[in-house]
């Protein structure tokens, strides 16, 4: 495959594949055991795991949604025991949201379920050479991501 593919075409195809893969993650079934968390909950749990305690407005900003959109999701998660809101000691108007132990367990279970689904798809549909190529492509994508955040 010595044919040069213009970067714009490679970017278009990659964007489409990544979007489709993201949709598959959302529909692959996430959650622990028989409980299936809505993907919106998994996203919030992942954000809190990576960034620590955040206000509802900060969570909404990370997701590029309005705070009014994040509010019902956070209330449902709080009711389910996945997150807890606390009072900020220096600014009583702020209520940082943090993961509970149950939230962390559910987030890890959902992550493992998505990884198992993807690992199974890789194992079933790619031969050993293709799996090595996929690994090499992943390293290249990581390099692109690192170069755009520095």
């Amino acid at each position: 495959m010595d044919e040069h593919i213009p970067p714009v075409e490679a970017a278009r195809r990659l964007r489409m594949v990544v979007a489709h893969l993201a949709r598959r993650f959302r529909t692959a079934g996430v959650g622990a055991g028989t409980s299936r968390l809505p993907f919106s909950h998994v996203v919030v749990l992942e954000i809190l795991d990576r960034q620590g305690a955040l206000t509802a407005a900060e969570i909404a900003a990370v997701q590029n949604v309005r705070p009014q959109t994040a509010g019902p999701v956070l209330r449902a998660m709080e009711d389910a025991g996945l997150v807890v809101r606390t009072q900020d000691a220096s600014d009583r108007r702020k209520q940082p949201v943090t993961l509970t132990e149950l939230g962390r367990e559910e987030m890890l279970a959902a992550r493992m379920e998505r990884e198992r689904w993807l690992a199974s798809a890789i194992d079933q549909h790619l031969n050993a050479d293709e799996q090595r190529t996929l690994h090499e492509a992943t390293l290249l994508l990581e390099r692109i991501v690192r170069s755009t955040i520095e």
Side-chain angles (χ1 to χ4, degrees), residues 85-98:
R85 295 181 207 231
T86 56
Q87 202 77 47
D88 186 296
S90 61
D91 186 347
R92 302 200 42 85
R93 295 170 297 174
K94 291 185 179 179
Q95 293 185 325
V97 179
T98 57

Side-chain angles (χ1 to χ4, degrees), residues 25-57:
F25 271 141
R26 285 192 294 271
T27 61
V30 292
T34 58
S35 86
R36 291 170 55 99
L37 291 177
F39 194 72
S40 59
H41 292 193
V42 175
V43 170
V44 171
L45 294 173
E46 293 277 357
I47 290 169
L48 292 172
D49 184 57
R50 280 193 312 274
Q51 298 188 22
L54 297 172
T55 65

Side-chain angles (χ1 to χ4, degrees), residues 15-31:
R15 179 190 54 78
M16 290 171 48
V17 168
V18 168
H20 185 72
L21 186 58
R23 278 192 300 277
R24 291 297 305 267
F25 271 141
R26 285 192 294 271
T27 61
V30 292

Side-chain angles (χ1 to χ4, degrees), residues 12-149:
R12 184 186 68 76
R13 291 180 68 191
L14 179 60
R15 179 190 54 78
M16 290 171 48
V17 168
V18 168
H20 185 72
L21 186 58
R23 278 192 300 277
R24 291 297 305 267
F25 271 141
R26 285 192 294 271
T27 61
V30 292
T34 58
S35 86
R36 291 170 55 99
L37 291 177
F39 194 72
S40 59
H41 292 193
V42 175
V43 170
V44 171
L45 294 173
E46 293 277 357
I47 290 169
L48 292 172
D49 184 57
R50 280 193 312 274
Q51 298 188 22
L54 297 172
T55 65
E58 291 167 332
I59 292 168
V62 170
Q63 293 183 287
N64 292 320
V65 299
R66 295 186 345 248
Q68 298 88 335
T69 303
V73 171
L74 291 172
R75 278 190 292 282
M77 293 177 70
E78 194 171 14
D79 290 346
L82 301 171
V83 298
V84 64
R85 295 181 207 231
T86 56
Q87 202 77 47
D88 186 296
S90 61
D91 186 347
R92 302 200 42 85
R93 295 170 297 174
K94 291 185 179 179
Q95 293 185 325
V97 179
T98 57
L99 284 175
T100 63
E101 189 57 37
L102 175 62
R104 184 172 316 286
E105 290 170 7
E106 290 287 338
M107 185 243 354
L108 291 172
R111 184 184 295 165
M112 287 176 53
E113 191 171 331
R114 290 189 317 267
E115 289 173 0
R116 276 194 304 270
W117 169 81
L118 186 55
S120 176
I122 289 169
D123 187 50
Q124 289 177 14
H125 302 289
L126 302 179
N127 65 36
D129 287 338
E130 292 168 329
Q131 289 181 28
R132 276 189 291 279
T133 300
L134 179 62
H135 175 73
E136 291 167 5
T138 302
L139 296 174
L140 295 174
L141 291 171
E142 288 173 346
R143 192 168 82 197
I144 290 170
V145 169
R146 279 193 310 273
S147 72
T148 59
I149 59 174

